[in-house]
């Protein structure tokens, strides 16, 4: 018969700067060594039993009180203060009657990554830490729209002067600042030939 799969963890990491956390400092300031011992005992129960959460009820508080030789009422008060300073998630406690936090679930994912054990979607807490943002970047697609600025280029149309024969007269500028005037005709030089004929006729009749 196969050995049943262990839900809990055999160990869990504890940050060396834990006592610098303001939430831990508030807990120690209010309850002293009793507060920090209660919190660490709850963490051991969470990681050891279920991996990332633990059901919260009177029996649980009695077991913690028995382990630490404290009053059950005092244990309940300390745990609720841990929820108040956000060491445990208040919404999960209110809706599911379980103790957990985003940090606990993040550490559980890191430790159990190879085993493939997933967190129950009903108990999963959105993680806005650096770890959570890395996952979002790896799985999400970020698209930014680049604005395109279109400027209308003004077009100016200059009226081309024409001569008396209807030909367009175009001024062109050559290199070195010299300006020449060229005549262009759409009738393939027909007007120029008529002008030459009129000039010759005038010269021929000038002596009559």
């Amino acid at each position: 018969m196969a050995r049943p799969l262990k839900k809990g963890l055999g160990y869990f990491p504890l940050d060396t700067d834990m006592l610098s956390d303001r939430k831990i400092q508030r807990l120690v300031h209010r309850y002293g060594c009793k507060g920090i011992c209660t919190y660490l005992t709850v963490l051991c129960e969470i990681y050891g039993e279920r991996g990332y959460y633990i059901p919260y009820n009177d029996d649980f508080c009695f077991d913690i009180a028995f382990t630490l030789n404290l009053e059950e009422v005092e244990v309940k008060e300390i745990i609720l203060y841990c929820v108040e300073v956000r060491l445990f998630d208040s919404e999960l406690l209110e809706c599911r009657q379980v103790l957990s936090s985003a940090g606990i679930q993040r550490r559980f994912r890191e430790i159990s990554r190879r085993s493939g054990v997933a967190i129950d979607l009903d108990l999963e807490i959105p993680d806005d830490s650096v770890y959570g943002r890395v996952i979002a970047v790896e799985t999400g697609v970020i698209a930014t729209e680049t604005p395109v600025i279109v400027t209308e280029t003004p077009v100016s149309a200059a009226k081309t002067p024409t001569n008396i024969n209807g030909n367009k007269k175009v001024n062109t500028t050559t290199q070195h600042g010299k300006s020449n005037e060229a005549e262009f005709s759409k009738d393939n030089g027909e007007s120029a030939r008529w002008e030459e004929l009129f000039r010759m006729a005038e010269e021929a009749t000038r002596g009559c």
Side-chain angles (χ1 to χ4, degrees):
M1 183 176 179
R3 177 182 298 180
L5 182 63
K6 179 179 175 58
K7 294 183 179 180
L9 302 175
Y11 75 97
F12 68 93
L14 192 63
D15 297 332
T16 56
D17 61 347
M18 180 186 68
L19 296 178
S20 300
D21 189 337
R22 185 171 287 108
K23 291 179 280 188
I24 297 295
Q25 292 175 347
R26 291 182 182 277
L27 177 63
V28 174
H29 180 73
R30 175 72 68 90
Y31 295 101
C33 293
K34 293 180 181 180
I36 192 66
C37 288
T38 300
Y39 175 65
L40 291 177
T41 305
V42 173
L43 288 183
C44 290
E45 292 294 323
I46 291 175
Y47 286 115
E49 290 295 325
R50 307 295 178 94
Y52 59 91
Y53 78 99
I54 196 74
Y56 175 79
N57 49 41
D58 291 339
D59 292 338
F60 176 75
C61 292
F62 173 78
D63 293 340
I64 298 295
F66 182 80
T67 301
L68 298 177
N69 195 23
L70 297 175
E71 294 295 329
E72 184 177 346
V73 175
E74 191 173 16
V75 169
K76 288 182 179 180
E77 184 180 342
I78 294 174
I79 292 177
L80 292 179
Y81 185 75
C82 289
V83 175
E84 181 181 340
V85 296
R86 301 190 304 279
L87 286 171
F88 298 120
D89 188 77
S90 60
E91 185 176 351
L92 274 185
L93 178 61
E94 181 180 354
C95 300
R96 301 289 181 176
Q97 289 76 51
V98 300
L99 294 175
S100 185
S101 72
I104 292 172
Q105 294 187 8
R106 180 172 66 252
R107 296 183 189 95
F108 176 79
R109 291 190 190 96
E110 293 172 352
I111 296 173
S112 60
R113 187 178 301 171
R114 292 185 178 180
S115 63
V117 180
I119 294 178
D120 189 346
L121 294 178
D122 293 335
L123 302 177
E124 188 172 16
I125 302 173
D127 189 3
D128 58 353
S129 65
V130 175
Y131 180 83
R133 287 197 295 270
V134 170
I135 296 299
V137 170
E138 289 179 353
T139 58
V141 177
I142 302 175
T144 58
E145 182 178 355
T146 303
V148 179
I149 302 175
V150 179
T151 58
E152 182 178 357
T153 304
V155 179
S156 60
K159 186 175 181 181
T160 304
T162 57
N163 56 20
I164 58 175
N165 296 316
N167 297 330
K168 291 183 179 180
K169 185 181 294 184
V170 179
N171 293 331
T172 59
T173 303
T174 61
Q175 295 179 352
H176 308 293
K178 296 181 180 180
S179 176
N180 295 326
E181 180 177 308
E183 293 184 356
F184 297 91
S185 177
K186 294 182 179 180
D187 55 0
N188 297 323
E190 187 67 24
S191 297
R193 287 194 294 271
W194 279 105
E195 287 181 3
E196 183 66 16
L197 290 175
F198 287 141
R199 185 182 62 78
M200 294 174 62
E202 288 178 358
E203 291 179 354
T205 58
R206 198 172 288 174
C208 299

